[in-house]
Amino acid sequence: MPKRKHAGRERASTSAAGGETRALELVTNLDRAIRRLILSGAERAAGPSFSRSEIAVVDTLGAEGAMAMGELAARVRLPVSTASRVADRLVARGILHRERLSENRRIVRVELAPDGRRFHQAALRGRISGARRMLARLSLREQDELIRLFGKIADSALE
């Protein structure tokens, strides 16, 4: 009987190690896919370069619309002071517009300026084009399953 308990622990240990290995494989493949999507979009839009934080801000505002600076900082997982410096750079480049709310002057609202919206749309078109090329390697059934699974992963990230 003790042998079974030991075998069960080995299985659990192996399963935990396998889970770690599978998680690493998932992250590695996701990172590769994302880098390829970003590069495919960058090849098409030979525009100005942006830091990761700047891209995160532009992507977040492009996807979710205008918001308070504190909320933006939380969404892109930056301290408010860092997010403010990123916003300063983007305002200077004409990508972002910032205003203080008249009802509460302590709150700063940020949104994409017209040039920021154009940049976001061009980058999104590039990523969509790259994603279409990647999906073309899969059957329609596999595409549906992949999209469903990514939706499930994205939902679980919020928990």
CSV table of all heavy atoms in Angstrom, one decimal, residues 18-74:
chain,number,residue,atom,x,y,z
A,18,GLY,N,5.3,18.7,-15.4
A,18,GLY,CA,4.8,18.8,-16.7
A,18,GLY,C,4.0,20.0,-17.0
A,18,GLY,O,4.0,20.7,-18.0
A,19,GLY,N,3.2,20.5,-15.9
A,19,GLY,CA,2.5,21.7,-16.0
A,19,GLY,C,3.4,22.9,-16.2
A,19,GLY,O,3.1,23.8,-17.0
A,20,GLU,N,4.5,22.9,-15.5
A,20,GLU,CA,5.5,24.0,-15.6
A,20,GLU,C,6.1,24.0,-17.0
A,20,GLU,O,6.2,25.0,-17.6
A,20,GLU,CB,6.6,23.8,-14.5
A,20,GLU,CG,7.6,24.9,-14.5
A,20,GLU,CD,7.1,26.1,-13.9
A,20,GLU,OE1,6.1,26.1,-13.1
A,20,GLU,OE2,7.7,27.2,-14.1
A,21,THR,N,6.4,22.8,-17.5
A,21,THR,CA,7.0,22.7,-18.8
A,21,THR,C,6.0,23.2,-19.9
A,21,THR,O,6.3,23.9,-20.8
A,21,THR,CB,7.4,21.2,-19.1
A,21,THR,OG1,8.4,20.9,-18.1
A,21,THR,CG2,8.0,21.1,-20.5
A,22,ARG,N,4.7,22.7,-19.7
A,22,ARG,CA,3.7,23.1,-20.7
A,22,ARG,C,3.5,24.7,-20.6
A,22,ARG,O,3.3,25.3,-21.7
A,22,ARG,CB,2.4,22.4,-20.4
A,22,ARG,CG,2.6,20.9,-20.8
A,22,ARG,CD,1.4,20.1,-20.4
A,22,ARG,NE,0.2,20.6,-21.1
A,22,ARG,CZ,-0.7,19.9,-21.7
A,22,ARG,NH1,-0.5,18.6,-21.6
A,22,ARG,NH2,-1.7,20.4,-22.4
A,23,ALA,N,3.5,25.2,-19.4
A,23,ALA,CA,3.3,26.7,-19.3
A,23,ALA,C,4.4,27.4,-20.0
A,23,ALA,O,4.2,28.4,-20.6
A,23,ALA,CB,3.1,27.0,-17.8
A,24,LEU,N,5.6,26.9,-19.8
A,24,LEU,CA,6.8,27.6,-20.4
A,24,LEU,C,6.7,27.5,-21.9
A,24,LEU,O,7.0,28.4,-22.6
A,24,LEU,CB,8.1,26.9,-19.9
A,24,LEU,CG,9.4,27.4,-20.6
A,24,LEU,CD1,9.6,28.9,-20.4
A,24,LEU,CD2,10.6,26.6,-20.0
A,25,GLU,N,6.3,26.3,-22.4
A,25,GLU,CA,6.1,26.1,-23.8
A,25,GLU,C,5.0,27.1,-24.4
A,25,GLU,O,5.2,27.7,-25.4
A,25,GLU,CB,5.7,24.7,-24.1
A,25,GLU,CG,5.7,24.4,-25.6
A,25,GLU,CD,5.4,22.9,-25.9
A,25,GLU,OE1,5.3,22.1,-24.9
A,25,GLU,OE2,5.3,22.5,-27.1
A,26,LEU,N,3.9,27.2,-23.7
A,26,LEU,CA,2.9,28.2,-24.1
A,26,LEU,C,3.4,29.6,-24.1
A,26,LEU,O,3.2,30.3,-25.1
A,26,LEU,CB,1.7,28.1,-23.1
A,26,LEU,CG,0.6,29.1,-23.4
A,26,LEU,CD1,-0.1,28.9,-24.7
A,26,LEU,CD2,-0.5,29.0,-22.3
A,27,VAL,N,4.1,30.0,-23.1
A,27,VAL,CA,4.6,31.4,-23.0
A,27,VAL,C,5.6,31.6,-24.2
A,27,VAL,O,5.6,32.6,-24.9
A,27,VAL,CB,5.2,31.7,-21.7
A,27,VAL,CG1,6.1,33.0,-21.7
A,27,VAL,CG2,4.2,31.8,-20.6
A,28,THR,N,6.5,30.7,-24.4
A,28,THR,CA,7.5,30.8,-25.5
A,28,THR,C,6.8,30.9,-26.8
A,28,THR,O,7.1,31.8,-27.6
A,28,THR,CB,8.4,29.5,-25.5
A,28,THR,OG1,9.0,29.5,-24.2
A,28,THR,CG2,9.4,29.6,-26.6
A,29,ASN,N,5.8,30.1,-27.1
A,29,ASN,CA,5.1,30.1,-28.4
A,29,ASN,C,4.3,31.4,-28.5
A,29,ASN,O,4.2,32.0,-29.6
A,29,ASN,CB,4.2,28.9,-28.6
A,29,ASN,CG,5.1,27.7,-28.9
A,29,ASN,OD1,6.2,27.8,-29.4
A,29,ASN,ND2,4.6,26.5,-28.5
A,30,LEU,N,3.6,31.8,-27.4
A,30,LEU,CA,2.9,33.1,-27.5
A,30,LEU,C,3.8,34.3,-27.7
A,30,LEU,O,3.5,35.1,-28.6
A,30,LEU,CB,2.1,33.3,-26.2
A,30,LEU,CG,0.9,32.5,-25.9
A,30,LEU,CD1,0.3,32.7,-24.5
A,30,LEU,CD2,-0.2,32.8,-27.0
A,31,ASP,N,4.9,34.3,-27.0
A,31,ASP,CA,5.9,35.4,-27.2
A,31,ASP,C,6.4,35.4,-28.7
A,31,ASP,O,6.5,36.5,-29.3
A,31,ASP,CB,7.1,35.3,-26.3
A,31,ASP,CG,6.7,35.6,-24.9
A,31,ASP,OD1,5.6,36.2,-24.6
A,31,ASP,OD2,7.6,35.4,-24.0
A,32,ARG,N,6.7,34.2,-29.2
A,32,ARG,CA,7.2,34.2,-30.6
A,32,ARG,C,6.1,34.7,-31.6
A,32,ARG,O,6.4,35.4,-32.5
A,32,ARG,CB,7.5,32.7,-31.0
A,32,ARG,CG,8.9,32.3,-30.7
A,32,ARG,CD,9.3,30.9,-31.2
A,32,ARG,NE,8.6,30.6,-32.4
A,32,ARG,CZ,8.2,29.3,-32.7
A,32,ARG,NH1,8.4,28.4,-31.9
A,32,ARG,NH2,7.6,29.1,-33.9
A,33,ALA,N,4.9,34.2,-31.4
A,33,ALA,CA,3.8,34.7,-32.2
A,33,ALA,C,3.6,36.2,-32.1
A,33,ALA,O,3.4,36.9,-33.1
A,33,ALA,CB,2.5,33.9,-31.9
A,34,ILE,N,3.6,36.7,-30.9
A,34,ILE,CA,3.4,38.1,-30.7
A,34,ILE,C,4.5,38.9,-31.4
A,34,ILE,O,4.3,39.9,-32.1
A,34,ILE,CB,3.2,38.5,-29.2
A,34,ILE,CG1,1.9,37.9,-28.7
A,34,ILE,CG2,3.3,40.0,-29.0
A,34,ILE,CD1,1.7,37.9,-27.2
A,35,ARG,N,5.8,38.5,-31.2
A,35,ARG,CA,6.9,39.2,-31.8
A,35,ARG,C,6.7,39.2,-33.3
A,35,ARG,O,7.0,40.2,-34.0
A,35,ARG,CB,8.2,38.6,-31.4
A,35,ARG,CG,8.7,39.0,-30.1
A,35,ARG,CD,10.2,38.6,-29.9
A,35,ARG,NE,10.4,37.2,-30.0
A,35,ARG,CZ,10.3,36.3,-29.0
A,35,ARG,NH1,9.9,36.7,-27.8
A,35,ARG,NH2,10.5,35.0,-29.2
A,36,ARG,N,6.3,38.1,-33.9
A,36,ARG,CA,6.1,38.0,-35.4
A,36,ARG,C,5.0,38.9,-35.8
A,36,ARG,O,5.1,39.5,-36.9
A,36,ARG,CB,5.9,36.6,-35.8
A,36,ARG,CG,7.1,35.7,-35.7
A,36,ARG,CD,7.0,34.3,-36.1
A,36,ARG,NE,8.2,33.6,-36.0
A,36,ARG,CZ,8.3,32.3,-36.2
A,36,ARG,NH1,7.3,31.6,-36.5
A,36,ARG,NH2,9.5,31.7,-36.1
A,37,LEU,N,3.9,39.0,-35.0
A,37,LEU,CA,2.8,39.9,-35.4
A,37,LEU,C,3.3,41.3,-35.3
A,37,LEU,O,3.0,42.1,-36.2
A,37,LEU,CB,1.6,39.7,-34.4
A,37,LEU,CG,0.8,38.4,-34.6
A,37,LEU,CD1,-0.3,38.3,-33.5
A,37,LEU,CD2,0.1,38.5,-36.0
A,38,ILE,N,4.0,41.7,-34.3
A,38,ILE,CA,4.5,43.0,-34.2
A,38,ILE,C,5.5,43.4,-35.3
A,38,ILE,O,5.4,44.4,-35.9
A,38,ILE,CB,5.2,43.3,-32.8
A,38,ILE,CG1,4.1,43.3,-31.7
A,38,ILE,CG2,6.0,44.6,-32.8
A,38,ILE,CD1,4.6,43.2,-30.3
A,39,LEU,N,6.4,42.5,-35.6
A,39,LEU,CA,7.3,42.7,-36.7
A,39,LEU,C,6.6,42.8,-38.0
A,39,LEU,O,7.0,43.6,-38.9
A,39,LEU,CB,8.4,41.6,-36.7
A,39,LEU,CG,9.4,41.6,-35.6
A,39,LEU,CD1,10.3,40.4,-35.7
A,39,LEU,CD2,10.2,42.9,-35.6
A,40,SER,N,5.6,42.0,-38.3
A,40,SER,CA,4.9,42.0,-39.6
A,40,SER,C,4.2,43.4,-39.7
A,40,SER,O,4.1,43.9,-40.8
A,40,SER,CB,3.9,40.9,-39.7
A,40,SER,OG,2.8,41.0,-38.9
A,41,GLY,N,3.7,43.9,-38.6
A,41,GLY,CA,3.0,45.2,-38.6
A,41,GLY,C,4.0,46.3,-38.8
A,41,GLY,O,3.8,47.3,-39.5
A,42,ALA,N,5.2,46.2,-38.2
A,42,ALA,CA,6.2,47.2,-38.3
A,42,ALA,C,6.8,47.3,-39.7
A,42,ALA,O,7.2,48.3,-40.2
A,42,ALA,CB,7.4,46.9,-37.3
A,43,GLU,N,6.9,46.1,-40.4
A,43,GLU,CA,7.4,46.1,-41.8
A,43,GLU,C,6.5,47.0,-42.7
A,43,GLU,O,6.9,47.6,-43.6
A,43,GLU,CB,7.5,44.7,-42.3
A,43,GLU,CG,8.5,43.9,-41.6
A,43,GLU,CD,8.4,42.4,-41.9
A,43,GLU,OE1,7.4,42.0,-42.7
A,43,GLU,OE2,9.2,41.6,-41.5
A,44,ARG,N,5.2,46.9,-42.4
A,44,ARG,CA,4.2,47.7,-43.2
A,44,ARG,C,4.2,49.1,-42.9
A,44,ARG,O,4.0,50.0,-43.8
A,44,ARG,CB,2.8,47.0,-43.1
A,44,ARG,CG,2.7,45.7,-43.8
A,44,ARG,CD,1.4,45.1,-43.5
A,44,ARG,NE,1.2,43.9,-44.2
A,44,ARG,CZ,1.9,42.8,-44.1
A,44,ARG,NH1,2.9,42.8,-43.3
A,44,ARG,NH2,1.7,41.7,-44.8
A,45,ALA,N,4.3,49.4,-41.6
A,45,ALA,CA,4.2,50.8,-41.2
A,45,ALA,C,5.6,51.3,-40.8
A,45,ALA,O,6.1,51.2,-39.7
A,45,ALA,CB,3.3,50.9,-40.0
A,46,ALA,N,6.3,51.9,-41.8
A,46,ALA,CA,7.7,52.3,-41.6
A,46,ALA,C,7.6,53.7,-41.0
A,46,ALA,O,8.1,54.7,-41.5
A,46,ALA,CB,8.4,52.3,-42.9
A,47,GLY,N,6.9,53.8,-39.8
A,47,GLY,CA,6.8,55.0,-39.1
A,47,GLY,C,7.7,55.2,-38.0
A,47,GLY,O,8.7,54.4,-37.9
A,48,PRO,N,7.4,56.1,-37.1
A,48,PRO,CA,8.3,56.3,-35.9
A,48,PRO,C,8.3,55.1,-35.0
A,48,PRO,O,7.4,54.3,-35.0
A,48,PRO,CB,7.6,57.5,-35.2
A,48,PRO,CG,6.2,57.4,-35.6
A,48,PRO,CD,6.2,56.9,-37.0
A,49,SER,N,9.4,54.9,-34.2
A,49,SER,CA,9.5,53.8,-33.3
A,49,SER,C,8.9,54.2,-31.9
A,49,SER,O,9.0,55.4,-31.6
A,49,SER,CB,10.9,53.3,-33.2
A,49,SER,OG,11.7,54.4,-32.6
A,50,PHE,N,8.4,53.3,-31.2
A,50,PHE,CA,7.8,53.5,-29.9
A,50,PHE,C,8.4,52.5,-28.9
A,50,PHE,O,8.7,51.4,-29.2
A,50,PHE,CB,6.3,53.3,-29.9
A,50,PHE,CG,5.6,54.4,-30.7
A,50,PHE,CD1,5.5,54.3,-32.1
A,50,PHE,CD2,5.1,55.5,-30.1
A,50,PHE,CE1,4.9,55.3,-32.8
A,50,PHE,CE2,4.5,56.5,-30.8
A,50,PHE,CZ,4.3,56.4,-32.2
A,51,SER,N,8.5,52.9,-27.6
A,51,SER,CA,8.9,52.0,-26.6
A,51,SER,C,7.7,51.1,-26.2
A,51,SER,O,6.6,51.3,-26.6
A,51,SER,CB,9.3,52.8,-25.3
A,51,SER,OG,8.1,53.3,-24.7
A,52,ARG,N,8.0,50.0,-25.5
A,52,ARG,CA,7.0,49.1,-25.1
A,52,ARG,C,5.9,49.7,-24.3
A,52,ARG,O,4.7,49.5,-24.5
A,52,ARG,CB,7.6,47.9,-24.3
A,52,ARG,CG,8.4,46.9,-25.1
A,52,ARG,CD,8.9,45.8,-24.3
A,52,ARG,NE,9.7,44.9,-25.1
A,52,ARG,CZ,10.4,44.0,-24.7
A,52,ARG,NH1,10.5,43.7,-23.4
A,52,ARG,NH2,11.1,43.2,-25.5
A,53,SER,N,6.3,50.6,-23.4
A,53,SER,CA,5.3,51.3,-22.6
A,53,SER,C,4.4,52.2,-23.4
A,53,SER,O,3.2,52.3,-23.2
A,53,SER,CB,6.0,52.1,-21.5
A,53,SER,OG,6.7,51.3,-20.6
A,54,GLU,N,5.0,52.9,-24.4
A,54,GLU,CA,4.3,53.8,-25.3
A,54,GLU,C,3.3,52.9,-26.1
A,54,GLU,O,2.1,53.3,-26.3
A,54,GLU,CB,5.2,54.5,-26.2
A,54,GLU,CG,6.0,55.6,-25.5
A,54,GLU,CD,7.1,56.2,-26.3
A,54,GLU,OE1,7.6,55.6,-27.3
A,54,GLU,OE2,7.6,57.3,-25.9
A,55,ILE,N,3.7,51.8,-26.6
A,55,ILE,CA,2.8,50.9,-27.4
A,55,ILE,C,1.7,50.4,-26.5
A,55,ILE,O,0.5,50.4,-26.9
A,55,ILE,CB,3.6,49.7,-28.0
A,55,ILE,CG1,4.5,50.3,-29.1
A,55,ILE,CG2,2.7,48.7,-28.5
A,55,ILE,CD1,5.5,49.3,-29.6
A,56,ALA,N,2.0,50.1,-25.3
A,56,ALA,CA,1.0,49.6,-24.3
A,56,ALA,C,-0.1,50.7,-24.1
A,56,ALA,O,-1.3,50.4,-24.1
A,56,ALA,CB,1.6,49.2,-23.0
A,57,VAL,N,0.4,51.9,-23.9
A,57,VAL,CA,-0.6,53.0,-23.7
A,57,VAL,C,-1.4,53.3,-25.0
A,57,VAL,O,-2.7,53.4,-24.9
A,57,VAL,CB,0.2,54.3,-23.3
A,57,VAL,CG1,-0.7,55.5,-23.4
A,57,VAL,CG2,0.7,54.2,-21.9
A,58,VAL,N,-0.8,53.3,-26.1
A,58,VAL,CA,-1.5,53.5,-27.4
A,58,VAL,C,-2.5,52.4,-27.6
A,58,VAL,O,-3.7,52.6,-28.0
A,58,VAL,CB,-0.6,53.7,-28.6
A,58,VAL,CG1,-1.3,53.7,-29.9
A,58,VAL,CG2,0.2,55.0,-28.4
A,59,ASP,N,-2.1,51.1,-27.4
A,59,ASP,CA,-3.0,50.0,-27.6
A,59,ASP,C,-4.2,50.0,-26.7
A,59,ASP,O,-5.3,49.8,-27.1
A,59,ASP,CB,-2.2,48.7,-27.4
A,59,ASP,CG,-1.7,48.1,-28.7
A,59,ASP,OD1,-2.0,48.6,-29.8
A,59,ASP,OD2,-1.0,47.1,-28.6
A,60,THR,N,-3.9,50.3,-25.4
A,60,THR,CA,-5.0,50.4,-24.4
A,60,THR,C,-6.0,51.4,-24.7
A,60,THR,O,-7.2,51.2,-24.7
A,60,THR,CB,-4.4,50.6,-23.0
A,60,THR,OG1,-3.5,49.5,-22.8
A,60,THR,CG2,-5.5,50.6,-22.0
A,61,LEU,N,-5.5,52.6,-25.0
A,61,LEU,CA,-6.4,53.7,-25.4
A,61,LEU,C,-7.2,53.5,-26.7
A,61,LEU,O,-8.3,53.8,-26.8
A,61,LEU,CB,-5.7,55.1,-25.4
A,61,LEU,CG,-5.2,55.6,-24.0
A,61,LEU,CD1,-4.3,56.8,-24.2
A,61,LEU,CD2,-6.4,55.8,-23.1
A,62,GLY,N,-6.5,52.9,-27.6
A,62,GLY,CA,-7.1,52.6,-28.9
A,62,GLY,C,-8.2,51.5,-28.8
A,62,GLY,O,-9.2,51.6,-29.4
A,63,ALA,N,-8.0,50.6,-27.9
A,63,ALA,CA,-8.9,49.5,-27.7
A,63,ALA,C,-10.1,49.9,-26.8
A,63,ALA,O,-11.2,49.5,-27.0
A,63,ALA,CB,-8.2,48.2,-27.2
A,64,GLU,N,-9.8,50.7,-25.8
A,64,GLU,CA,-10.8,50.9,-24.7
A,64,GLU,C,-11.3,52.4,-24.7
A,64,GLU,O,-12.2,52.7,-24.0
A,64,GLU,CB,-10.2,50.6,-23.4
A,64,GLU,CG,-9.8,49.1,-23.3
A,64,GLU,CD,-9.2,48.7,-22.0
A,64,GLU,OE1,-9.7,49.3,-20.9
A,64,GLU,OE2,-8.4,47.8,-21.9
A,65,GLY,N,-10.6,53.3,-25.4
A,65,GLY,CA,-11.1,54.7,-25.4
A,65,GLY,C,-10.5,55.5,-24.3
A,65,GLY,O,-9.6,55.0,-23.5
A,66,ALA,N,-10.9,56.7,-24.2
A,66,ALA,CA,-10.4,57.7,-23.2
A,66,ALA,C,-10.6,57.2,-21.8
A,66,ALA,O,-11.6,56.5,-21.5
A,66,ALA,CB,-11.0,59.0,-23.4
A,67,MET,N,-9.7,57.5,-20.9
A,67,MET,CA,-9.8,57.2,-19.5
A,67,MET,C,-8.9,58.0,-18.6
A,67,MET,O,-8.1,58.8,-19.1
A,67,MET,CB,-9.5,55.7,-19.3
A,67,MET,CG,-8.0,55.3,-19.6
A,67,MET,SD,-7.7,53.5,-19.4
A,67,MET,CE,-8.6,52.9,-20.8
A,68,ALA,N,-9.2,58.0,-17.3
A,68,ALA,CA,-8.4,58.7,-16.4
A,68,ALA,C,-7.0,58.2,-16.3
A,68,ALA,O,-6.7,57.0,-16.5
A,68,ALA,CB,-9.0,58.7,-15.0
A,69,MET,N,-6.0,59.0,-16.1
A,69,MET,CA,-4.6,58.6,-16.1
A,69,MET,C,-4.3,57.5,-15.1
A,69,MET,O,-3.6,56.5,-15.3
A,69,MET,CB,-3.7,59.8,-15.7
A,69,MET,CG,-2.2,59.5,-15.7
A,69,MET,SD,-1.5,58.8,-17.2
A,69,MET,CE,-1.4,60.3,-18.1
A,70,GLY,N,-4.9,57.6,-13.9
A,70,GLY,CA,-4.8,56.5,-12.9
A,70,GLY,C,-5.3,55.2,-13.4
A,70,GLY,O,-4.7,54.1,-13.2
A,71,GLU,N,-6.4,55.2,-14.1
A,71,GLU,CA,-7.0,53.9,-14.6
A,71,GLU,C,-6.0,53.4,-15.7
A,71,GLU,O,-5.8,52.2,-15.8
A,71,GLU,CB,-8.4,54.2,-15.2
A,71,GLU,CG,-9.0,53.0,-15.7
A,71,GLU,CD,-10.4,53.3,-16.3
A,71,GLU,OE1,-10.9,54.4,-16.1
A,71,GLU,OE2,-11.0,52.3,-16.8
A,72,LEU,N,-5.5,54.3,-16.6
A,72,LEU,CA,-4.6,53.9,-17.6
A,72,LEU,C,-3.4,53.2,-17.0
A,72,LEU,O,-2.9,52.2,-17.5
A,72,LEU,CB,-4.2,55.1,-18.5
A,72,LEU,CG,-3.2,54.8,-19.6
A,72,LEU,CD1,-3.7,53.7,-20.6
A,72,LEU,CD2,-2.8,56.1,-20.3
A,73,ALA,N,-2.8,53.9,-16.0
A,73,ALA,CA,-1.6,53.3,-15.4
A,73,ALA,C,-1.9,51.9,-14.8
A,73,ALA,O,-1.1,51.0,-15.0
A,73,ALA,CB,-1.2,54.2,-14.2
A,74,ALA,N,-3.0,51.7,-14.2
A,74,ALA,CA,-3.4,50.4,-13.7
A,74,ALA,C,-3.5,49.4,-14.9
A,74,ALA,O,-3.1,48.2,-14.8
A,74,ALA,CB,-4.7,50.5,-12.9
